[in-house]
Amino acid sequence: MSAATAPVAGPAPLPDPAAPAPLPAALKKAARRRRAVPYLLLLAGVAWLLVFFVAPMVYQASTSVQTGSLDEGFKVTWHFSTYWDAFDAYWPQFVKSLVYSGIATVLCLGIGYPLAYTIAFRAGRWRNLVLILVIAPFFTSFLIRTLAWETILADESPLVHFLNTIHLLDVTSALGITEGDRVMATPLAVVCGLTYNFLPFMILPLYTSLERVDGRLHEAAGDLYATPFTTFRKVTFPLSMPGVVAGTLLTFIPASGDYINAELLGSTNQKMIGSVIQSQFLRVLDYPTAAALSFILMAVILAIVMVYVRRAGTEELV
Amino acid sequence: MRPIRWLRKNLVVVFGVLTLVYLIVPNLVVLLFSFNKPNGRYNYTWTRFSTDAWQHPCGVAGMCDSLTLSLKLAVYATIGATVLGTMTAFALARYRFRGRATTNMLIFLPMAMPEVVMGASLGTLFLNMRIQFGFWTILIAHIMFCLSFVVVAVKARVMSMDPRLEQAAQDLYASPTQTFLRVTLPLAAPGIAAGALLSFALSFDDYIITSFNAGNTVTFPMFVWGSAQRGTPVQVNVIGTAMFVIAVLLVLAGQLLGSSRRKVR
């Protein structure tokens, strides 16, 4: 087969010195096979994502403009007002989701940075142990850890008792983040839970980017009479920017769609948009509204992420 | 003035340690309350010490069934996601081809998508295809969201590998298969292991996506969620603690193994 494809008929044309020598057919075939290798490797994984991730999204988009009921079936009627109705009915939950997850993200950054910095520059031979301790909470299930916060923040817990004794809860109640002498079923509890649950997602990217910072740069800054704070502000922090961006996104995105914390630690007043989507889907069985709400959430997050990434100036996230 | 100077110098470390305490405290609470014997249904207040729950970890109806189901799901999902993800990662790390950027984007998207959105849309698809919810729909969903994490872990490792090692193997007359099995795969193993571990943890722990695709099947997180409404049994704390201890021991063992091997070399 390979011999047959080689040109044999006619007088052999003078070889053009500029043109590359024609590849023997066998080599050509091997090259073609080589070119097919990445596609063959990709085939299964990409097909899986196309069928079970992309197709459902497209399907969801069509569901969001359908009308009907579970008994009669749903039909595409380009009923775009579902979006408006859904947003109109549930905008407070949207706002709460974004505010709670935004605050939790900022808190995670503030709380997580010192630990990431400690692991990267100060932990020495304890580094691996501390890293394990950061990842370790992951291994006790998310729900069980959130339930542990229910115990910690319960009305009769020592912590809440202590906070009441020092009258801190009076201050927070005046600010509107707790109610009376309780912590449970208040925005504070929800934000606490979110911050705790997503903290490792902040610490790990921060650590990875801080670890790459050359320690000698600190010495150099010190030699040039920079105070430790100036060194941090002008050298360390800017160099850790990729970690900051990755960490905030990895915290903010899952936190804004989360409803476990809001359901377990909050009351109906702290419901987040995830709860609404879930109950529309699983209990109300109003699939178009659930689909429209998912798309609004996705669009809002995408818009925020795009503005944020452009502002932060790092676009090499993938 | 000495302590103040010390504090100024080590302020970062002090904050770091406090954060670490914040991260660990809930686990300690779970441990502590696994030895509690509550009076009512709610395990929120300390009553008295008891090892009842540890002696009868399966004493709660349905809990151990859900645990077995979750473990089985996690094993299957890990195998599926690791195989598919590793192949994808090799293609992305080793080859330049048309559609590479698009594929990278496709891999990135599931990680940047809130779980509710993914869960609800996959659930809608299954529902309209009239596919019966159960073990297989959960498994499909788990492989879908674990896949990207495996790709990222393996890709990072493969990209940092020295391609000359494989060339050297070929120069020494290793066949492509031998090169792959004896050189490439062992070099990529830490990345593959990291991806597999992550998949296992993600699958075992997932509640949100599972709840949209489970139908009447109850995984362990779903059991915990259901029990949270009526008062969580003490045994849940036992399982939580046991998982924590086993995982930490495994990671420590891996670390020791890694460091002793490095010494031998």
Side-chain angles (χ1 to χ4, degrees):
Chain A
M1 157 96 191
S2 54
T5 45
V8 275
L14 281 173
D16 179 358
L23 283 170
L27 263 182
K28 242 190 218 163
K29 205 175 153 198
R32 208 180 309 137
R33 205 185 295 151
R34 256 193 78 76
R35 234 177 298 142
V37 169
Y39 294 107
L40 290 173
L41 280 173
L42 279 177
L43 192 66
V46 167
W48 199 279
L49 285 182
L50 285 178
V51 175
F52 299 120
F53 175 72
V54 176
M57 288 290 165
V58 175
Y59 202 83
Q60 184 85 320
S62 96
T63 307
S64 68
V65 291
Q66 289 174 357
T67 46
S69 68
L70 200 60
D71 305 323
E72 302 154 21
F74 290 92
K75 273 203 195 78
V76 178
T77 48
W78 304 107
H79 194 259
F80 280 110
S81 59
T82 308
Y83 278 88
W84 175 246
D85 295 340
F87 185 74
D88 197 37
Y90 298 110
W91 67 267
Q93 283 84 347
F94 267 114
V95 173
K96 273 176 202 153
S97 296
L98 297 178
V99 170
Y100 292 165
S101 49
I103 295 174
T105 308
V106 173
L107 285 176
C108 278
L109 185 61
I111 297 172
Y113 207 104
L115 182 56
Y117 189 94
T118 308
I119 305 174
F121 299 120
R122 306 290 288 272
R125 65 204 175 88
W126 299 102
R127 180 188 278 196
N128 279 336
L129 184 71
V130 180
L131 265 180
I132 292 174
L133 287 178
V134 170
I135 310 168
F138 266 129
F139 297 125
T140 310
S141 124
F142 191 96
L143 282 165
I144 298 181
R145 279 180 289 138
T146 313
L147 288 173
W149 277 102
E150 231 176 296
T151 311
I152 297 171
L153 300 176
D155 297 343
E156 53 280 0
S157 81
L159 178 70
V160 173
H161 189 75
F162 171 73
L163 292 178
N164 268 315
T165 322
I166 62 166
H167 296 287
L168 192 67
L169 289 185
D170 295 342
V171 180
T172 51
S173 297
L175 291 171
I177 51 177
T178 56
E179 279 160 36
D181 54 0
R182 306 191 66 191
V183 178
M184 272 299 284
T186 63
L188 181 68
V190 177
V191 171
C192 257
L194 285 172
T195 310
Y196 168 77
N197 273 318
F198 294 104
L199 191 52
F201 290 93
M202 178 66 84
I203 293 175
L204 292 178
L206 279 179
Y207 162 73
T208 332
S209 69
L210 279 171
E211 195 210 4
R212 284 191 210 132
V213 176
D214 191 337
R216 285 173 299 181
L217 289 174
H218 294 166
E219 289 167 33
D223 290 347
L224 296 167
Y225 301 106
T227 60
F229 181 69
T230 315
T231 308
F232 175 76
R233 200 166 51 92
K234 297 256 173 148
V235 180
T236 320
F237 189 74
L239 284 172
S240 69
M241 231 15 220
V244 174
V245 173
T248 40
L249 291 182
L250 281 177
T251 312
F252 180 74
I253 295 172
S256 60
D258 177 80
Y259 58 84
I260 294 173
N261 289 283
E263 289 272 319
L264 293 181
L265 302 174
S267 67
T268 40
N269 285 330
Q270 283 86 46
K271 262 202 170 28
M272 288 167 67
I273 197 64
S275 317
V276 180
I277 297 177
Q278 199 223 18
S279 70
Q280 289 291 328
F281 188 93
L282 293 177
R283 275 184 296 230
V284 188
L285 305 178
D286 184 350
Y287 303 111
T289 303
L293 286 171
S294 311
F295 268 96
I296 300 174
L297 176 65
M298 216 166 76
V300 170
I301 288 179
L302 219 62
I304 292 176
V305 167
M306 257 147 72
V307 170
Y308 173 71
V309 169
R310 189 149 305 163
R311 275 308 238 349
T314 20
E315 277 167 351
E316 303 153 11
L317 270 172
V318 183
Chain B
M1 285 292 100
R2 280 273 277 309
I4 292 182
R5 199 186 299 156
W6 181 89
L7 194 66
R8 270 185 63 172
K9 218 179 143 208
N10 292 299
L11 198 60
V12 169
V13 180
V14 172
F15 272 115
V17 171
L18 284 178
T19 309
L20 207 57
V21 171
Y22 175 65
L23 276 170
I24 299 296
V25 158
N27 286 298
L28 297 181
V29 171
V30 173
L31 171 71
L32 181 69
F33 278 79
S34 73
F35 290 108
N36 191 16
K37 193 169 176 67
N39 280 328
R41 280 180 306 165
Y42 291 95
N43 189 13
Y44 292 152
T45 37
W46 181 257
T47 321
R48 64 197 156 91
F49 182 85
S50 144
T51 52
D52 281 5
W54 283 90
Q55 279 164 12
H56 309 285
C58 284
V60 186
M63 190 182 77
C64 281
D65 294 338
S66 70
L67 191 63
T68 321
L69 177 74
S70 273
L71 286 172
K72 201 169 126 191
L73 267 171
V75 170
Y76 283 21
T78 303
I79 295 172
T82 308
V83 171
L84 296 183
T86 304
M87 282 172 21
T88 312
F90 265 98
L92 288 171
R94 278 294 164 80
Y95 298 91
R96 303 269 164 271
F97 54 92
R98 202 176 293 173
R100 190 164 168 272
T102 324
T103 315
N104 267 324
M105 198 64 206
L106 180 68
I107 300 295
F108 174 69
L109 270 179
M111 295 189 291
M113 195 69 72
E115 283 187 66
V116 222
V117 178
M118 280 195 284
S121 49
L122 188 58
T124 316
L125 185 79
F126 285 143
L127 200 79
N128 281 282
M129 295 290 171
R130 310 225 176 277
I131 293 168
Q132 188 69 42
F133 285 116
F135 182 85
W136 295 104
T137 50
I138 305 176
L139 183 62
I140 285 173
H142 282 197
I143 294 179
M144 182 266 288
F145 72 76
C146 292
L147 186 58
S148 300
F149 290 92
V150 177
V151 175
V152 171
V154 178
K155 199 174 101 183
R157 178 73 197 180
V158 175
M159 297 257 252
S160 72
M161 276 161 35
D162 190 343
R164 284 173 303 181
L165 289 172
E166 284 158 82
Q167 286 162 14
Q170 305 235 306
D171 287 349
L172 296 168
Y173 301 105
S175 71
T177 326
Q178 277 174 323
T179 313
F180 182 77
L181 289 179
R182 299 274 182 87
V183 180
T184 317
L185 212 53
L187 281 173
I192 299 175
L197 261 179
L198 201 59
S199 299
F200 190 89
L202 286 170
S203 161
F204 186 76
D205 205 15
D206 182 74
Y207 171 73
I208 296 184
I209 293 182
T210 312
S211 71
F212 284 98
N213 295 293
N216 296 322
T217 316
V218 180
T219 62
F220 183 65
M222 292 181 76
F223 176 86
V224 176
W225 176 267
S227 75
Q229 327 288 335
R230 334 177 277 272
T232 322
V234 185
Q235 276 82 351
V236 166
N237 292 40
V238 173
I239 304 294
T241 308
M243 265 155 51
F244 179 76
V245 172
I246 293 172
V248 170
L249 286 181
L250 276 179
V251 175
L252 280 177
Q255 286 267 329
L256 286 179
L257 200 76
S259 64
S260 67
R261 220 187 250 170
R262 229 169 285 137
K263 261 175 219 152
V264 170
R265 255 177 228 164

